[in-house]
Amino acid sequence: MSVIIQVSELHFSTADGIKVLEDIHLRVDRGEMIFLLGPAAAGKSVLLGLLAAQIPPQRGQILVHGRNIARLSRKKAFELRRRIGFLPQGFAPLPKTVLKNVMFKLRCLGNFQEQAEEKALAALERVRLTAKLATSATELEPLQRVRLGLALSICDEPQLLLLDEPFSNLDPGGRTEVCSLLAQIHLSGLTVLTATRGPLPTAADGHRVVLLADGRVKE
Amino acid sequence: MISTFLFLLGELLGAVRTKSGTILIAVVLLIFSFLALFSSFFLLGTPVEEENGPVLAPQEIMAYLSPRLSPGEVEELYSKIREWKDVQRINYLFTQELQEDQAGGIFLIRTTSPSAVAPLLETLGSIEGIVRVVSASKSQSTLSLSTPVRIGLLIGLAVSAVASMLAARYGFRELLRSFAEEIRLMHLSGTAERMIQTPIIALGILCGLVASLLLIVAVYLFHFFAVSHPEAVLRTASGLVEPGRVLTVSLLSLLLGLVMGGLIGVLGASLTGSREFQTYS
């Protein structure tokens, strides 16, 4: 199985010298579904930000889709971001309807109106949100917000999905539902890496779990 | 590419709120002031007449009368010329108005067309009592501005340029704040920075364009007024009666307005890279 993420000797510190990540080694194969489990402030969001080419790396090597993120030009970094579906922690939708939220992203990525609408509808159908197309995204319930976030992440057909705390603010039923949804998305061939502080829903059983604590990875 | 640009420009314009809109209108007015001051350099001032004679429109002729003519003779000549079919209008100017002390008064004649100027010049030149005739072709002048006026205009130019840049930076920051979520989403999803910035630059150019067009309208309104009332402006804004000069100034102002708007847009676009518009900073 080919590797989609390869992290070696990764270190990261804040501007005031606090070590966030220390000597991280991580390998993710294409088509895997992984849960990155760790307490608050363990460095999960930073690691995901680094993998998504949103934070410039300091020390170590990160290969995503075979590309060394540290050596990417600005243009190549943008190209790489397009191949990664990324749902950041505390995702806030735009003050537009659900459909227009997804279409906005697709239009920004160069899709024409009809093409964007087609892709947006397909993505919203995959996350079972078609009943809320005309609803304002800011009025959605937490679970529906996560669904919208997922639709935004997968709408441009990425190969890698990075999710930062998608289960926060959800009740156990909501967590299970999102986890099942992720499993379905994963079955379509996507590699899914989900960072969470836990507890993991039962639907996550059988998938690989990586622990991140004190800036270090433990499997 | 163009479709995405137009889409984003529409979205950006949709994000204009009362505060940012007011500031952007102020930016347009400041650019307008800058362009107006710039145009003043070329339109204001008195003509340097020693060699070339006064400034006239292409359809105009100035006939200098002999000081020996009696008021009755001037009156008679005035009535005679007014009846000619090629003469659209004739005004009598006192010599003091143009500091032409050696003349006994001046007829400012407007012909029906520029082609009528040459034969009329010949006819007027042969009339006894008219000592000199001058037409526009001989009178494209350079304008002289006094040093204090020149310095004032330069200071005004600098102040309006700096003020428009500062107001634009503040206005764009306000505008981009109401568009911040969209910019963050674009950054996250891998939209190229130049794609995010181009509509902002275009908005700056649009501000410059609106300011230039306002100025051109104003300049032409003044031009039409000056042409119909040359005696009112000849001593202060002689450039306004010359169509060629007015056109050149208008085109230069349009170009300068677009450049100024572009610079302002670039200034606004540079803000998208700031921490405020990043999910991770």
Side-chain angles (χ1 to χ4, degrees):
Chain A
M1 200 174 263
S2 65
V3 180
I4 194 163
I5 296 173
Q6 176 79 60
V7 179
S8 320
E9 297 172 11
L10 181 67
H11 295 255
F12 193 89
S13 304
T14 60
D16 41 2
I18 300 166
K19 287 180 180 172
V20 181
L21 299 173
E22 267 189 277
D23 197 26
I24 300 282
H25 291 262
L26 179 68
R27 176 196 159 116
V28 178
D29 289 327
R30 204 172 286 275
E32 259 193 304
M33 179 155 158
I34 295 186
F35 289 92
L36 184 66
L37 195 62
K44 303 186 296 294
S45 295
V46 172
L47 181 56
L48 256 60
L50 286 161
L51 294 175
Q54 301 284 340
I55 304 175
Q58 296 167 345
R59 232 178 92 197
Q61 192 182 51
I62 306 170
L63 296 173
V64 177
H65 288 298
R67 291 184 173 277
N68 187 347
I69 286 185
R71 291 188 187 167
L72 282 183
S73 64
R74 212 172 152 77
K75 191 184 166 197
K76 295 279 179 196
F78 280 119
E79 282 173 14
L80 181 67
R81 282 182 195 177
R82 294 189 62 160
R83 297 173 68 190
I84 302 170
F86 184 44
L87 178 63
Q89 186 176 7
F91 155 72
L94 305 177
K96 301 173 185 291
T97 65
V98 166
L99 179 63
K100 284 191 174 168
N101 258 270
V102 186
M103 281 182 67
F104 178 85
K105 175 178 169 176
L106 289 163
R107 291 297 315 267
C108 291
L109 293 175
N111 293 277
F112 288 104
Q113 175 80 11
E114 296 77 20
Q115 195 184 6
E117 192 167 348
E118 200 176 302
K119 281 187 179 182
L121 286 171
L124 288 165
E125 200 170 335
R126 283 177 79 183
V127 300
R128 295 179 223 128
L129 206 57
T130 41
K132 299 280 181 186
L133 292 181
T135 308
S136 170
T138 49
E139 290 169 12
L140 292 177
E141 291 165 10
L143 177 60
Q144 291 166 340
R145 268 191 191 210
V146 178
R147 286 178 190 275
L148 174 59
L150 283 174
L152 273 164
S153 310
I154 61 171
C155 64
D156 202 37
E157 293 151 21
Q159 292 152 324
L160 173 63
L161 194 55
L162 302 175
L163 310 166
D164 195 0
E165 298 285 6
F167 306 129
S168 60
N169 301 324
L170 295 181
D171 56 25
R175 287 164 181 251
T176 306
E177 213 170 309
V178 170
C179 202
S180 307
L181 204 55
L182 288 180
Q184 280 178 20
I185 291 169
H186 166 241
L187 281 177
S188 66
L190 253 80
T191 307
V192 183
L193 175 55
T194 308
T196 176
R197 69 186 71 160
L200 285 175
T202 46
D205 290 351
H207 294 291
R208 186 176 157 205
V209 178
V210 175
L211 296 174
L212 183 67
D214 302 323
R216 290 174 185 273
V217 161
K218 295 158 193 169
E219 295 215 32
Chain B
M1 188 86 169
I2 290 172
S3 152
T4 310
F5 162 74
L6 291 175
F7 169 73
L8 282 175
L9 183 61
E11 292 284 322
L12 186 65
L13 287 171
V16 175
R17 301 283 176 268
T18 314
K19 193 174 179 185
S20 50
T22 309
I23 301 169
L24 287 177
I25 290 171
V27 170
V28 169
L29 294 176
L30 283 166
I31 300 175
F32 174 82
S33 313
F34 175 82
L35 296 176
L37 289 164
F38 168 78
S39 307
S40 303
F41 271 107
F42 304 96
L43 298 175
L44 292 187
T46 46
V48 179
E49 296 174 7
E50 286 75 13
E51 291 177 11
N52 299 326
V55 178
L56 293 172
Q59 286 169 254
E60 287 178 337
I61 296 171
M62 267 191 172
Y64 291 80
L65 305 175
S66 164
R68 291 181 197 148
L69 287 177
S70 67
E73 286 170 321
V74 171
E75 182 77 36
E76 192 184 328
L77 197 55
Y78 178 91
S79 305
K80 182 179 161 191
I81 294 171
R82 197 175 54 180
E83 296 306 316
W84 292 351
K85 65 176 171 50
D86 288 338
V87 174
Q88 190 185 63
R89 200 183 58 223
I90 176 167
N91 293 95
Y92 176 79
L93 304 178
F94 287 97
T95 51
Q96 289 83 351
E97 287 183 65
L98 295 172
Q99 295 172 359
E100 292 281 351
D101 297 333
Q102 68 275 38
I106 297 159
F107 285 154
L108 180 65
I109 301 163
R110 187 175 175 83
T111 60
T112 50
S113 68
S115 59
V117 170
L120 215 58
L121 274 175
E122 207 173 313
T123 314
L124 287 165
S126 63
I127 293 176
E128 203 177 328
I130 292 180
V131 291
R132 186 157 70 106
V133 282
V134 178
S135 68
S137 56
K138 294 178 188 169
S139 66
Q140 296 303 309
S141 64
T142 51
L143 303 180
S144 76
L145 276 174
S146 65
T147 309
V149 173
R150 230 175 248 278
I151 291 170
L153 286 176
L154 277 174
I155 292 171
L157 262 181
V159 168
S160 58
V162 172
S164 54
M165 290 287 173
L166 290 175
R169 192 170 172 83
Y170 184 58
F172 273 113
R173 186 173 286 281
E174 278 302 318
L175 172 61
L176 295 183
R177 273 184 186 148
S178 46
F179 200 57
E181 287 300 335
E182 283 86 346
I183 296 175
R184 285 191 204 111
L185 178 63
M186 285 190 269
H187 279 141
L188 277 179
S189 56
T191 308
E193 197 69 30
R194 67 165 196 283
M195 189 51 85
I196 303 172
Q197 292 179 333
T198 312
I200 302 169
I201 297 171
L203 187 58
I205 293 174
L206 203 65
C207 288
L209 179 68
V210 171
S212 315
L213 293 178
L214 282 176
L215 183 92
I216 290 171
V217 169
V219 165
Y220 269 90
L221 284 176
F222 278 119
H223 167 66
F224 291 130
F225 173 78
V227 168
S228 54
H229 302 88
E231 64 282 1
V233 295
L234 272 178
R235 306 261 14 119
T236 52
S238 311
L240 279 170
V241 294
E242 295 176 41
R245 186 184 284 266
V246 168
L247 179 67
T248 309
V249 167
S250 298
L251 291 176
L252 275 176
S253 296
L254 178 66
L255 192 68
L256 194 63
L258 292 176
V259 170
M260 188 96 171
L263 282 175
I264 279 169
V266 168
L267 199 69
S270 68
L271 296 170
T272 62
S274 69
R275 288 180 169 201
E276 200 177 342
F277 304 111
Q278 309 284 339
T279 303
Y280 289 90
S281 54

